[in-house]
């Protein structure tokens, strides 16, 4: 398992993993408070470096140092609400890749229009579950909190609409992950049922996608590499785990190990 | 241990655990920043689903989706201060159960009067340590930070006063947990000395109580089930742990296992 | 390893570790959101007790209960920005030790001048990496986010300048930790390469330093004890870990074990 000589999914993306480990990109994250720790530890385990400041006074300025930016709407504090537009502006002006993770959009009255407006700043990759991608495209996604009530295949047309607007890649997470841009589509049936039983694994995938996108020009390749990395780490962690608590720990070890 | 055929404490509450696992209730949590991750991972391990948004603009609206609400005053950011009254209003208008965890009240000048005012909204369950329950009832609880300096038995009269005002249940955590409402009293001498050595286990117990309260009508039953679940998971984790770090991990695994 | 009979580094500081375990000091922490959980769990593992409130309305008041204060600028929310000066005032007026951790100063426009202003309140110990200590002393530290781009030895003169202004101790973390005050200098080449691969280990060292400083008069002794404690715990955790995820868990267990 997860040996590049025998695992073609890993073989396909291994150069991206190696580039992240060699480049140690600095990823600025405005993300859900509840998952900050997993996101930061996951980036470090993968060989990248996290930064997390979310005030209007500081986030845009420190983003000038960053190699990539993650905007995750998971908690959306008042500080984050105020800082996100200006921080995204810095990333786009400096032509740094940035990832939009429209966590839990739906009935939430601030993040839902904010996520749609942010599409105009053309995120390099949009990553979400099926409900979130449907909602982002203007449909009724039916999400409840951070959970998807829709299946990935139901969001494929919506994902294409989003990709059409941004010109970048869209990654829809689910039992079978869907990755597409204007010309290519991949499906990945890997990972573990324990991944959604740990808070913030989706947020971490968004951050890892930003790290990969800072190392390769092709945003679809970056999204595919991050999704594969996370899925294979999830498989390895599941082999070792006795429950969701030990899975979380092994997941971080496995992010460090996959493909070495 | 923790086998329903041989553990009468577990046998008594097992239907509630099974209902949470079957129902996967959505629990909206406004809780201490420091323990958000444990609270969310603990809810997921127990089979429930967490949501965590704490702005006035979004928390009341997303609470309309929730099956239960936890209000924990542990950090009490400006966002949370602003959002709590309106969010509690949504829960009570929609007749959703809600749990008040008056963490670290005492000399703190905002949370202490806020906790007392919230009693008028009749929390389904109040959960705290002895110092917090004494303070909530208007006595000098003598708390220092999140720690209790009073013993559970010293807070029994105060717990009855609080239950008299809310009409709900009160759970006082300590070496011997006390659970009472207007007519019933239970004491539970289970758990592990490692539980207070991990940040947020009390907050998680509050969240688990909210999850249980969304699945059974009887708030005292819900509080007893959550307290027992946590205590038995603590016992199992302590058998496996070599210190507080490994205990935290095993606790999450054990929440997933107890009673299966 | 880490046996006081055979490890002179441990033997030298063991009385401080024992004093923390006996005294269970209450440490109020205004710290990076991303590392709050590790800081709190680490303090508990070491035998101290954390408190974490960061609003202007409550942080200064609850600090009157605390035995020591940590100010870490890692996230610097609007709440923290507003509360820090008044909270430091309480600590200094009550003659409680306080630790300044100027995380990620450099280009960040709020925390950088704030950290320099706070030197006038004479922190008992300043703890940072080489880039942060250089920047604090008014030089170009060259930091990128929370990472140091400078080596410890390059910051020695800057550390002496800072100690000259505060009259306290300065701890510069790196491969070889440097600890100095107006009269003494120590270097410690212990620890593990896994420590910087877990988010918040530096923040935790700041908090542990505050705990130690509340138990001994001598701020240099306190800084040396905390640095040694963390380094030896890191060594023991590294022996047991299979990656950064398991290292984090074992680190907490080891903080509880070292020197017992």
């Amino acid at each position: 398992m997860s040996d590049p000589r025998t695992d073609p999914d890993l073989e396909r993306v291994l150069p991206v993993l190696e580039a992240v480990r060699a480049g140690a990109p600095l990823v600025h994250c405005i993300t859900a408070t509840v998952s900050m720790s997993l996101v930061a530890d996951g980036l470090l385990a993968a060989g990248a470096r996290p930064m997390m400041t979310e005030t209007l006074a500081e986030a845009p300025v420190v983003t000038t140092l960053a190699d990539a930016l993650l905007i995750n709407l998971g908690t959306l504090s008042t500080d984050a609400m105020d800082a996100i537009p200006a921080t995204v502006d810095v990333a786009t002006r400096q032509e740094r890749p940035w990832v939009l993770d429209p966590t839990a959009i739906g009935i939430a009255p601030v993040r839902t229009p904010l996520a749609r407006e942010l599409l105009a700043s053309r995120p390099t990759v949009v990553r979400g579950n099926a409900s979130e991608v449907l909602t982002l495209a203007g449909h009724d996604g039916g999400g409840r909190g951070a959970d998807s009530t829709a299946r990935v295949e139901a969001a494929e047309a919506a994902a294409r609409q989003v990709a059409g607007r941004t010109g970048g890649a869209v990654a829809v997470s689910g039992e079978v992950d869907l990755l597409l841009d204007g010309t290519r589509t991949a499906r990945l049936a890997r990972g573990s049922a324990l991944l959604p039983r740990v808070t913030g694994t989706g947020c971490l995938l968004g951050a890892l996608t930003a790290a990969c996108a800072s190392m390769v020009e092709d945003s679809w390749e970056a999204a595919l590499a991050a999704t594969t990395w996370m899925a294979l780490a999830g498989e390895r962690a599941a082999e070792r785990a006795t429950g969701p608590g030990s899975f979380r720990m092994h997941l971080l070890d496995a992010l460090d190990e996959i493909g070495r």
Side-chain angles (χ1 to χ4, degrees), chain A:
Chain A
M1 291 297 275
S2 307
D3 180 333
R5 291 162 302 185
T6 58
D7 188 327
D9 289 323
L10 175 57
E11 191 185 14
R12 185 169 50 170
V13 301
L14 190 60
V16 185
L17 277 60
E18 290 170 343
V20 170
R21 285 170 177 147
L26 196 56
V27 182
H28 190 233
C29 304
I30 297 186
T31 189
T33 312
V34 65
S35 60
M36 273 185 178
S37 166
L38 186 74
V39 168
D41 280 338
L43 285 174
L44 286 171
R49 292 172 303 135
M51 279 202 309
M52 293 187 171
T53 287
E54 63 177 38
T55 57
L56 176 58
E58 295 205 323
V61 178
V62 300
T63 295
T64 62
L65 294 175
D67 299 302
L69 173 67
L70 167 70
I71 299 293
N72 175 309
L73 306 179
T75 304
L76 203 58
S77 67
T78 299
D79 276 346
M81 274 184 219
D82 291 346
I84 285 172
T87 306
V88 169
D89 272 358
V90 167
T92 55
R93 267 190 284 120
Q94 298 205 334
E95 299 185 4
R96 299 286 196 283
W98 76 281
V99 172
L100 174 63
D101 189 335
T103 307
I105 59 171
I107 71 162
V110 176
R111 70 186 66 191
T112 309
L114 175 61
R116 288 175 181 150
E117 284 163 33
L118 287 171
L119 288 183
S121 299
R122 305 183 68 176
T124 314
V125 183
V126 171
R127 190 220 72 85
N129 63 36
S131 287
E132 291 156 356
V133 171
L134 281 162
T135 303
L136 192 61
H139 307 283
D140 175 12
R144 281 193 83 206
D147 292 326
S148 184
T149 59
R151 294 177 61 89
V152 167
E153 49 266 53
E156 183 165 343
R160 292 199 188 284
Q161 286 178 272
V162 171
R165 290 195 54 193
T166 65
V170 178
V172 190
S173 303
E175 276 183 47
V176 179
D177 298 308
L178 172 70
L179 300 117
L180 58 79
D181 67 2
T183 57
R184 291 159 297 178
T185 303
R187 286 179 176 79
L188 191 73
R190 301 290 297 261
S192 161
L194 282 166
L195 280 166
R197 297 206 58 207
V198 172
T199 301
T201 52
C203 307
L204 172 52
L205 176 53
L208 203 56
T209 303
C212 291
S214 72
M215 290 291 135
V216 288
E217 281 290 318
D218 184 327
S219 61
W220 183 83
E221 286 281 359
L224 181 63
T227 301
T228 304
W229 198 346
M230 194 69 165
L232 301 195
E235 288 177 5
R236 187 169 296 186
E239 289 165 15
R240 298 172 182 168
T242 53
S246 48
F247 177 79
R248 184 189 195 280
M249 178 190 80
H250 290 302
L251 181 68
L252 292 168
D253 280 4
L255 283 167
D256 180 47
E257 287 170 25
I258 294 295
R260 276 193 198 274

